[in-house]
Amino acid sequence: MGNLSTPTSVQKLQTALHTKAKAEAGYRFYALYDKVHREDVLAHAYAQCRSNKGAPGVDGQDFAEVEAYGLQRWLGELALALRQEAYRPDPIRRVFIPKANGKLRPLGISTLRDRVCMTAARLVLDPIFEADLPIEQYAYRSGRNAQQAVVDVQELLFRDHPEVVDADLADYFGSIPHAELMLSLARRIVDRRALHLIKMWLECAVEETDDRGRKTRNTEARDKRRGIPQGSPISPLLANLYMRRFVLGWKKLGLEARLGSRIVTYADDLVILCKRGKAEEALARM
């Protein structure tokens, strides 16, 4: 699984989807689910997950176990479960990793099977929504990175945008409302099965293990109807899609023009760079 270059067939699919989405801003895609369980898409999704390594989920299954079982056989069974609409995601294993400020960041670890499935969905959906993402968004996008965001901010500071509203959104991933997120997805996707797949991932139960090794499960995301699993392959796409609403809303309300402001976002961090004397209003309007 060392060769990670995208297979030509997957590349062609992605190019076709992106070209269609770019050419027709109002186009809605009716047939996407069948592309998620394509043999080449699932194989490439597995290769990506393999290169990212990652710990096992609640079932304990790792890459060595899958390959000992037979990769083609394993992928074939996953494809069949998807085709028959029998696929159901497992609970997400939650672990906590220390942050620089001493606090703990929750990280969700899906099973390998679910990670491959989410990655396959991302391979299909990314080209569509990439066509819609505004230039202000730098995170989780091919050819864009945090360094470019920093350079953009620096240039704007020197180009008569000396005042800055700096926001680090608390629990951004955990607070995204499902209803509004699904609306953002449905703006481009009509395929009921593809939307159902994403909804199942949003509503996954979470399993935690306490200091004594006791396991507990909760359905907080489903009960509160908010939150996307931080750490899952599909979450960066969903996080970007929801942030897009803020960027577009800011422009639609005329705040970019009226305040002489520019937004730069990276994941759950955003800055609004303003003309002199406009930062207070920008903060209030944000």
Side-chain angles (χ1 to χ4, degrees):
M1 304 306 298
N3 180 14
L4 275 185
S5 59
T6 308
T8 307
S9 57
V10 177
Q11 221 160 23
K12 281 182 178 174
L13 169 66
Q14 291 180 314
T15 301
L17 291 169
H18 181 74
T19 302
K20 183 69 174 175
K22 199 74 178 169
E24 298 183 43
Y27 185 79
R28 300 175 76 206
F29 291 79
Y30 286 81
L32 294 173
Y33 187 79
D34 61 322
K35 295 164 180 60
V36 174
H37 58 67
R38 262 174 45 168
E39 184 182 334
D40 55 343
V41 173
L42 284 173
H44 187 58
Y46 181 86
Q48 283 198 349
C49 291
R50 185 83 165 81
S51 73
N52 292 336
K53 300 185 172 67
V58 294
D59 63 355
Q61 189 176 58
D62 59 17
F63 296 101
E65 196 176 317
V66 167
E67 286 155 25
Y69 179 76
L71 177 56
Q72 293 311 118
R73 179 180 163 198
W74 187 86
L75 288 173
E77 289 171 2
L78 175 55
L80 182 63
L82 285 164
R83 274 200 305 276
Q84 295 179 341
E85 297 181 49
Y87 166 81
R88 296 292 179 273
D90 290 304
I92 296 165
R93 182 167 72 90
R94 180 177 284 167
V95 296
F96 293 89
I97 55 174
K99 292 166 69 174
N101 62 6
K103 294 183 178 178
L104 294 173
R105 181 193 298 279
L107 189 67
I109 302 173
S110 300
T111 60
L112 180 50
R113 180 171 175 262
D114 291 337
R115 296 208 300 272
V116 169
C117 197
M118 287 180 197
T119 303
R122 200 193 71 226
L123 287 170
V124 173
L125 298 179
D126 255 348
I128 295 170
F129 290 107
E130 173 59 33
D132 295 337
L133 291 179
I135 59 168
E136 288 85 353
Q137 292 184 250
Y138 284 87
Y140 317 124
R141 300 176 67 182
S142 178
R144 312 204 100 203
N145 57 43
Q147 286 73 26
Q148 290 170 333
V150 171
V151 169
D152 194 12
V153 169
Q154 193 174 31
E155 287 179 357
L156 285 164
L157 283 170
F158 285 114
R159 287 207 314 264
D160 199 26
H161 290 74
E163 297 191 357
V164 180
V165 176
D166 180 17
D168 179 1
L169 303 174
D171 192 28
Y172 175 61
F173 282 75
S175 62
I176 293 176
H178 293 173
E180 284 83 351
L181 179 60
M182 293 304 295
L183 279 174
S184 293
L185 286 157
R187 202 181 54 76
R188 277 295 201 178
I189 304 172
V190 184
D191 190 324
R192 174 192 60 80
R193 293 182 300 172
L195 290 170
H196 179 65
L197 199 56
I198 295 166
K199 197 162 191 295
M200 285 197 295
W201 292 327
L202 290 178
E203 295 181 347
C204 265
V206 171
E207 181 178 285
E208 291 183 28
T209 306
D210 66 16
D211 296 338
R212 297 183 183 180
R214 294 175 300 193
K215 298 183 191 303
T216 56
R217 286 186 182 177
N218 72 69
T219 54
E220 190 177 328
R222 190 181 69 199
D223 298 341
K224 291 185 175 179
R225 297 177 185 173
R226 60 178 57 241
I228 61 176
Q230 196 161 350
S232 79
I234 197 74
S235 292
L237 168 64
L238 301 179
N240 268 352
L241 195 54
Y242 191 69
M243 180 62 78
R244 175 180 180 271
R245 293 168 65 96
F246 175 77
V247 176
L248 295 190
W250 188 262
K251 293 178 180 179
K252 196 172 180 181
L253 291 169
L255 295 168
E256 181 177 73
R258 189 156 63 78
L259 301 178
S261 62
R262 280 284 310 278
I263 294 173
V264 177
T265 83
Y266 191 89
D268 56 358
D269 292 307
L270 71 92
V271 294
I272 305 172
L273 296 110
C274 308
K275 298 284 187 182
R276 196 173 301 280
K278 299 294 184 182
E280 287 295 334
E281 187 181 352
L283 179 60
R285 294 308 296 265
M286 182 182 73

